[in-house]
Amino acid sequence: MEATEEERLLLTQRLKAAVHYTVGCLCQDVAEDKDVQFTKQTIAAISEITFRQCDNFAKDLEMFARHAKRSTVTTEDVKLLARRSNSLLKYITQKSEELASSNMEQKEKKKKKSSAAKGGKIPGEQEAAVNESEDSNMA
Amino acid sequence: MLLMSRLLCNDGRYKFGTMCLCDFSLQNISGSGKDKNSGRSTLVKQRPAVFPDLDNDTPRNMLKRIIQTQPQVSPLALRISKHEETEGPVWELPAKRISNMGEMQLPDLVPEDASIATFRMTKKRRKISVSEFERAADERLPQNQARSTLDSSTALARSFSMSLGTVIPPDTVEKRGLLRRPKNRRAIDIEAFEGGVEQNMLKRKAQKYLVDSQTASEIQTTVLTSDVEIMLSNTELFVQPQFDDQSQNKLSVLEPQLLNSKTSAQRSKISDAAQEEARLVGTDTRRTPRNSENLILDHEHAGRMTPLSPGTPANQQEDKHSHSQQSNPMKQLSVSEEVAVGTAEHRANAGYSEDLEKTLREKGESQITAAQDARAEPEEGGIAEGSVEHPGSPKAEHEITRSVGGGSLDRHSHTSSSEKSGMKLLKEAVEQADELEDQAIKIELDGTEEGPTEDEAEDPESEGDSIKTPTFVRAVAYKPLLSTPHPAKPAAPKLSTPRPAKPAAARSPQQPLQANRVPKGSGVSRRKTSEPEIASSLIKKIFSHYVKMPVARDAFKIVQKCSEKYFMQLSNDLEAYIHHAGRKTVEMEDLEVLMRRQGLVTDKMPLHVLIERYFPLEYRKLLIPVAASGNSVIPSK
């Protein structure tokens, strides 16, 4: 029990560190862009906020999925989550549409290949599998 | 002595203490009395006639002169007799009084002087032949029958004079020093008095609309004529519909019933309005049926009514006749409208129309609140507040209660519906009035009505109920709205501006609402077409409660906008959640999702705990099933 707690703590710290690093990088880019400087405390605060907000997102997503009586979190849940901010919602909708269209294309290609050359199924399957795995990751 | 003091006071020349003069005056009077009466005894002093020498004259001499020259009243004698009385002189006194009443007029000063004299007498214990003194004094006294009644101040004498039919002021005191100035009591012109009261009330209303209505009403509550009490004695909650084609009696009957319905509702404003109306009965110079009409609205015009009485009676009569064909409630409404209109016409004064509206609103509001009480609606408090805030709503309520009085008992279903019908009635009344002014005023009232009706139309219930407006009301309201309301509309905003309580935010939807309603002038309520709003009064109330500080009106506007946006966003989110779950009805879980998103419900704070914490028992019972004995669960599933 304590071990798992410690592990959890360790994992959390690692995660926080990762977030902190990413936030630092982003802030650096913005500073270069806008010619503004970021203090370390600012970056630390931003990273802490981001971490907690991610926690909130996760809980909300789970709640949305349960609300729709599903056990999988889908893009619909994400879109619902993003409703808070109009611009974010638009962006996410755009991205999801792009993703959906690329998925469709992938599926069509897959079908063509499978129908065209059944012999080349294995490389096709592999390719499709790779594509699908990519898609799932992205989703 | 008292006489002396009195004379001095009247003259205003001398400001001597009355007491110190008593002795002198007494002596003088007795002396003078003695002079004229041979039978006089005791203190006798001939007073030499002296030219007025103001510089060297002693007060005594001056008083002597006054006594000789001024009308001589000697209540002293009477008082003396009372104090040193035996029964004989006392008996003599009233007899003498009576006899003297016919002969002489006693001045007003008599009682006071006598009282002071008596006081003095008691101190000094002068022994005088009272009866003789009296006789002498009475003979000399100027004749004043009215005053004679005030002479007898002792209880005994008073009783005698009372028994003998004389009028004795009830406030005569044993000690004449405390006696007030004798009052010239003439019959009070009730109408004039009430008119003055109404004017006073109007002025007060004009100054402070909302707050002072209550205070004024408090003041007015004390003023209750007998007619008012008679009229208010009927404690029927709702006036039974009477569809006879009018008789003025019906009107008069309905009016008091309306008043009674008002009073039966436990609202101060209602009682005030009723009392005001009741008072109007007295003020109205016309006959009681007239008065009943005027009761509704005249209290506002009371001040103006009296001057306008020659003009308005004809107007009102016309109105009455014109309405003869309508149903009673409509008649009442139209009559009241006409009356209001008539007075408004005559006055052509926006201020008065404002007063009219205010009073109407007050009444309507009180009536509406009464109706609401009858229905025991949960939103009562908010609506009542709203009615307080919105001048228009009282008018609507006013109309509504009329319709109620007219017999639409079915319409007690909902305030909003009643308001709607009231508004329809009002519109009808507007139609009947042909004056632009009147229309403007009525449009204004319509606007104000619409405002509150719109404000209170938030509930989906109200919308549903509004459809249920009784057919007869709808039929009545079906009269095509005159095109005149349109030109009157631009006047409405101007006229509506003086109304202080109307928030601008709430007002703006009214005019577009008017625009929506007028073309659709059928009796069917078009609440759905107009954008419903939350009662700004409700927002104000809640906000001011939590902020515990006075809030500026601009702040209220902004708060209202914020709350509007908040609730818009809230409902949109709910819609999205419902759609997400593939449903079309809002459920508890949707709201829980919403609250979780808001952060009110967390892993540590479940929804049920929030319900327990913030809801009253009635609501909690609805939301959280409660197990009762006998394996019953509330609410039953």
PDB file of all heavy atoms in Angstrom, chain B residues 162-181:
ATOM      1  N   MET B 162     -76.413  68.182  30.305  1.00  0.00           N
ATOM      2  CA  MET B 162     -76.613  67.097  29.345  1.00  0.00           C
ATOM      3  C   MET B 162     -78.038  66.619  29.414  1.00  0.00           C
ATOM      4  O   MET B 162     -78.698  66.428  28.416  1.00  0.00           O
ATOM      5  CB  MET B 162     -75.660  65.936  29.674  1.00  0.00           C
ATOM      6  CG  MET B 162     -74.202  66.306  29.525  1.00  0.00           C
ATOM      7  SD  MET B 162     -73.640  66.045  27.883  1.00  0.00           S
ATOM      8  CE  MET B 162     -72.916  64.455  28.022  1.00  0.00           C
ATOM      9  N   SER B 163     -78.451  66.422  30.624  1.00  0.00           N
ATOM     10  CA  SER B 163     -79.811  65.934  30.761  1.00  0.00           C
ATOM     11  C   SER B 163     -80.803  66.930  30.196  1.00  0.00           C
ATOM     12  O   SER B 163     -81.835  66.544  29.665  1.00  0.00           O
ATOM     13  CB  SER B 163     -80.114  65.656  32.233  1.00  0.00           C
ATOM     14  OG  SER B 163     -79.988  66.859  32.958  1.00  0.00           O
ATOM     15  N   LEU B 164     -80.423  68.148  30.306  1.00  0.00           N
ATOM     16  CA  LEU B 164     -81.340  69.170  29.815  1.00  0.00           C
ATOM     17  C   LEU B 164     -81.160  69.406  28.316  1.00  0.00           C
ATOM     18  O   LEU B 164     -81.762  70.297  27.755  1.00  0.00           O
ATOM     19  CB  LEU B 164     -81.125  70.484  30.579  1.00  0.00           C
ATOM     20  CG  LEU B 164     -81.480  70.352  32.046  1.00  0.00           C
ATOM     21  CD1 LEU B 164     -80.911  71.501  32.857  1.00  0.00           C
ATOM     22  CD2 LEU B 164     -82.996  70.282  32.203  1.00  0.00           C
ATOM     23  N   GLY B 165     -80.316  68.670  27.772  1.00  0.00           N
ATOM     24  CA  GLY B 165     -80.239  68.730  26.322  1.00  0.00           C
ATOM     25  C   GLY B 165     -79.154  69.632  25.768  1.00  0.00           C
ATOM     26  O   GLY B 165     -79.076  69.852  24.576  1.00  0.00           O
ATOM     27  N   THR B 166     -78.363  70.172  26.648  1.00  0.00           N
ATOM     28  CA  THR B 166     -77.293  71.029  26.111  1.00  0.00           C
ATOM     29  C   THR B 166     -76.102  70.166  25.722  1.00  0.00           C
ATOM     30  O   THR B 166     -75.876  69.080  26.259  1.00  0.00           O
ATOM     31  CB  THR B 166     -76.846  72.048  27.154  1.00  0.00           C
ATOM     32  OG1 THR B 166     -76.330  71.332  28.282  1.00  0.00           O
ATOM     33  CG2 THR B 166     -78.017  72.904  27.574  1.00  0.00           C
ATOM     34  N   VAL B 167     -75.354  70.698  24.836  1.00  0.00           N
ATOM     35  CA  VAL B 167     -74.178  69.966  24.347  1.00  0.00           C
ATOM     36  C   VAL B 167     -72.967  70.421  25.145  1.00  0.00           C
ATOM     37  O   VAL B 167     -72.653  71.605  25.196  1.00  0.00           O
ATOM     38  CB  VAL B 167     -73.947  70.227  22.859  1.00  0.00           C
ATOM     39  CG1 VAL B 167     -72.687  69.527  22.387  1.00  0.00           C
ATOM     40  CG2 VAL B 167     -75.168  69.751  22.071  1.00  0.00           C
ATOM     41  N   ILE B 168     -72.337  69.491  25.763  1.00  0.00           N
ATOM     42  CA  ILE B 168     -71.139  69.841  26.522  1.00  0.00           C
ATOM     43  C   ILE B 168     -69.959  69.148  25.872  1.00  0.00           C
ATOM     44  O   ILE B 168     -70.005  67.960  25.579  1.00  0.00           O
ATOM     45  CB  ILE B 168     -71.288  69.378  27.975  1.00  0.00           C
ATOM     46  CG1 ILE B 168     -72.404  70.193  28.637  1.00  0.00           C
ATOM     47  CG2 ILE B 168     -69.967  69.571  28.718  1.00  0.00           C
ATOM     48  CD1 ILE B 168     -72.646  69.795  30.052  1.00  0.00           C
ATOM     49  N   PRO B 169     -68.918  69.873  25.651  1.00  0.00           N
ATOM     50  CA  PRO B 169     -67.754  69.246  25.026  1.00  0.00           C
ATOM     51  C   PRO B 169     -67.196  68.169  25.942  1.00  0.00           C
ATOM     52  O   PRO B 169     -67.028  68.389  27.134  1.00  0.00           O
ATOM     53  CB  PRO B 169     -66.764  70.398  24.847  1.00  0.00           C
ATOM     54  CG  PRO B 169     -67.220  71.446  25.787  1.00  0.00           C
ATOM     55  CD  PRO B 169     -68.692  71.295  25.929  1.00  0.00           C
ATOM     56  N   PRO B 170     -66.964  67.066  25.401  1.00  0.00           N
ATOM     57  CA  PRO B 170     -66.528  65.943  26.236  1.00  0.00           C
ATOM     58  C   PRO B 170     -65.162  66.156  26.847  1.00  0.00           C
ATOM     59  O   PRO B 170     -64.784  65.503  27.784  1.00  0.00           O
ATOM     60  CB  PRO B 170     -66.498  64.767  25.264  1.00  0.00           C
ATOM     61  CG  PRO B 170     -66.361  65.379  23.919  1.00  0.00           C
ATOM     62  CD  PRO B 170     -67.034  66.705  24.000  1.00  0.00           C
ATOM     63  N   ASP B 171     -64.433  67.067  26.299  1.00  0.00           N
ATOM     64  CA  ASP B 171     -63.081  67.198  26.808  1.00  0.00           C
ATOM     65  C   ASP B 171     -62.960  68.281  27.861  1.00  0.00           C
ATOM     66  O   ASP B 171     -61.864  68.718  28.172  1.00  0.00           O
ATOM     67  CB  ASP B 171     -62.126  67.486  25.638  1.00  0.00           C
ATOM     68  CG  ASP B 171     -62.556  68.732  24.910  1.00  0.00           C
ATOM     69  OD1 ASP B 171     -63.641  69.249  25.248  1.00  0.00           O
ATOM     70  OD2 ASP B 171     -61.872  69.186  24.019  1.00  0.00           O
ATOM     71  N   THR B 172     -64.098  68.737  28.342  1.00  0.00           N
ATOM     72  CA  THR B 172     -63.995  69.728  29.423  1.00  0.00           C
ATOM     73  C   THR B 172     -63.398  69.068  30.649  1.00  0.00           C
ATOM     74  O   THR B 172     -63.706  67.936  30.991  1.00  0.00           O
ATOM     75  CB  THR B 172     -65.368  70.288  29.789  1.00  0.00           C
ATOM     76  OG1 THR B 172     -66.223  69.182  30.069  1.00  0.00           O
ATOM     77  CG2 THR B 172     -65.937  71.070  28.626  1.00  0.00           C
ATOM     78  N   VAL B 173     -62.542  69.786  31.235  1.00  0.00           N
ATOM     79  CA  VAL B 173     -61.810  69.228  32.365  1.00  0.00           C
ATOM     80  C   VAL B 173     -62.250  69.934  33.623  1.00  0.00           C
ATOM     81  O   VAL B 173     -62.747  71.058  33.600  1.00  0.00           O
ATOM     82  CB  VAL B 173     -60.293  69.424  32.162  1.00  0.00           C
ATOM     83  CG1 VAL B 173     -59.536  68.374  32.942  1.00  0.00           C
ATOM     84  CG2 VAL B 173     -59.947  69.355  30.686  1.00  0.00           C
ATOM     85  N   GLU B 174     -62.008  69.284  34.678  1.00  0.00           N
ATOM     86  CA  GLU B 174     -62.317  69.884  35.963  1.00  0.00           C
ATOM     87  C   GLU B 174     -61.524  71.178  36.107  1.00  0.00           C
ATOM     88  O   GLU B 174     -62.033  72.202  36.501  1.00  0.00           O
ATOM     89  CB  GLU B 174     -61.952  68.909  37.075  1.00  0.00           C
ATOM     90  CG  GLU B 174     -62.586  69.216  38.400  1.00  0.00           C
ATOM     91  CD  GLU B 174     -64.089  68.969  38.375  1.00  0.00           C
ATOM     92  OE1 GLU B 174     -64.524  68.184  37.519  1.00  0.00           O
ATOM     93  OE2 GLU B 174     -64.804  69.572  39.164  1.00  0.00           O
ATOM     94  N   LYS B 175     -60.305  71.099  35.769  1.00  0.00           N
ATOM     95  CA  LYS B 175     -59.482  72.286  35.831  1.00  0.00           C
ATOM     96  C   LYS B 175     -59.600  73.021  34.514  1.00  0.00           C
ATOM     97  O   LYS B 175     -59.100  72.577  33.506  1.00  0.00           O
ATOM     98  CB  LYS B 175     -58.017  71.910  36.069  1.00  0.00           C
ATOM     99  CG  LYS B 175     -57.809  71.192  37.374  1.00  0.00           C
ATOM    100  CD  LYS B 175     -56.352  70.937  37.620  1.00  0.00           C
ATOM    101  CE  LYS B 175     -56.176  70.254  38.977  1.00  0.00           C
ATOM    102  NZ  LYS B 175     -54.759  69.976  39.223  1.00  0.00           N
ATOM    103  N   ARG B 176     -60.253  74.112  34.556  1.00  0.00           N
ATOM    104  CA  ARG B 176     -60.495  74.838  33.327  1.00  0.00           C
ATOM    105  C   ARG B 176     -59.196  75.289  32.671  1.00  0.00           C
ATOM    106  O   ARG B 176     -59.168  75.664  31.535  1.00  0.00           O
ATOM    107  CB  ARG B 176     -61.364  76.072  33.612  1.00  0.00           C
ATOM    108  CG  ARG B 176     -62.825  75.742  33.797  1.00  0.00           C
ATOM    109  CD  ARG B 176     -63.401  75.221  32.499  1.00  0.00           C
ATOM    110  NE  ARG B 176     -64.792  74.840  32.688  1.00  0.00           N
ATOM    111  CZ  ARG B 176     -65.781  75.322  31.941  1.00  0.00           C
ATOM    112  NH1 ARG B 176     -65.519  76.205  31.017  1.00  0.00           N
ATOM    113  NH2 ARG B 176     -67.000  74.938  32.164  1.00  0.00           N
ATOM    114  N   GLY B 177     -58.156  75.336  33.456  1.00  0.00           N
ATOM    115  CA  GLY B 177     -56.889  75.747  32.850  1.00  0.00           C
ATOM    116  C   GLY B 177     -56.453  74.841  31.727  1.00  0.00           C
ATOM    117  O   GLY B 177     -55.766  75.251  30.804  1.00  0.00           O
ATOM    118  N   LEU B 178     -56.875  73.601  31.839  1.00  0.00           N
ATOM    119  CA  LEU B 178     -56.461  72.653  30.802  1.00  0.00           C
ATOM    120  C   LEU B 178     -57.415  72.613  29.630  1.00  0.00           C
ATOM    121  O   LEU B 178     -57.176  71.910  28.683  1.00  0.00           O
ATOM    122  CB  LEU B 178     -56.366  71.255  31.419  1.00  0.00           C
ATOM    123  CG  LEU B 178     -55.416  71.163  32.606  1.00  0.00           C
ATOM    124  CD1 LEU B 178     -55.508  69.795  33.223  1.00  0.00           C
ATOM    125  CD2 LEU B 178     -53.988  71.479  32.181  1.00  0.00           C
ATOM    126  N   LEU B 179     -58.468  73.373  29.782  1.00  0.00           N
ATOM    127  CA  LEU B 179     -59.480  73.294  28.742  1.00  0.00           C
ATOM    128  C   LEU B 179     -58.950  73.921  27.472  1.00  0.00           C
ATOM    129  O   LEU B 179     -58.285  74.955  27.492  1.00  0.00           O
ATOM    130  CB  LEU B 179     -60.739  74.029  29.190  1.00  0.00           C
ATOM    131  CG  LEU B 179     -61.956  73.745  28.312  1.00  0.00           C
ATOM    132  CD1 LEU B 179     -62.373  72.311  28.490  1.00  0.00           C
ATOM    133  CD2 LEU B 179     -63.064  74.671  28.688  1.00  0.00           C
ATOM    134  N   ARG B 180     -59.249  73.261  26.409  1.00  0.00           N
ATOM    135  CA  ARG B 180     -58.801  73.798  25.136  1.00  0.00           C
ATOM    136  C   ARG B 180     -59.753  74.872  24.676  1.00  0.00           C
ATOM    137  O   ARG B 180     -60.840  75.041  25.206  1.00  0.00           O
ATOM    138  CB  ARG B 180     -58.774  72.700  24.075  1.00  0.00           C
ATOM    139  CG  ARG B 180     -57.823  71.578  24.426  1.00  0.00           C
ATOM    140  CD  ARG B 180     -57.611  70.707  23.234  1.00  0.00           C
ATOM    141  NE  ARG B 180     -56.959  69.479  23.666  1.00  0.00           N
ATOM    142  CZ  ARG B 180     -57.623  68.410  24.050  1.00  0.00           C
ATOM    143  NH1 ARG B 180     -58.944  68.432  24.061  1.00  0.00           N
ATOM    144  NH2 ARG B 180     -56.972  67.339  24.439  1.00  0.00           N
ATOM    145  N   ARG B 181     -59.316  75.520  23.683  1.00  0.00           N
ATOM    146  CA  ARG B 181     -60.176  76.549  23.095  1.00  0.00           C
ATOM    147  C   ARG B 181     -61.454  75.904  22.597  1.00  0.00           C
ATOM    148  O   ARG B 181     -61.400  74.859  21.984  1.00  0.00           O
ATOM    149  CB  ARG B 181     -59.412  77.160  21.916  1.00  0.00           C
ATOM    150  CG  ARG B 181     -59.782  78.549  21.575  1.00  0.00           C
ATOM    151  CD  ARG B 181     -58.862  79.059  20.505  1.00  0.00           C
ATOM    152  NE  ARG B 181     -57.611  79.525  21.102  1.00  0.00           N
ATOM    153  CZ  ARG B 181     -56.982  80.613  20.671  1.00  0.00           C
ATOM    154  NH1 ARG B 181     -57.478  81.303  19.676  1.00  0.00           N
ATOM    155  NH2 ARG B 181     -55.858  80.982  21.209  1.00  0.00           N
TER     156      ARG B 181
END
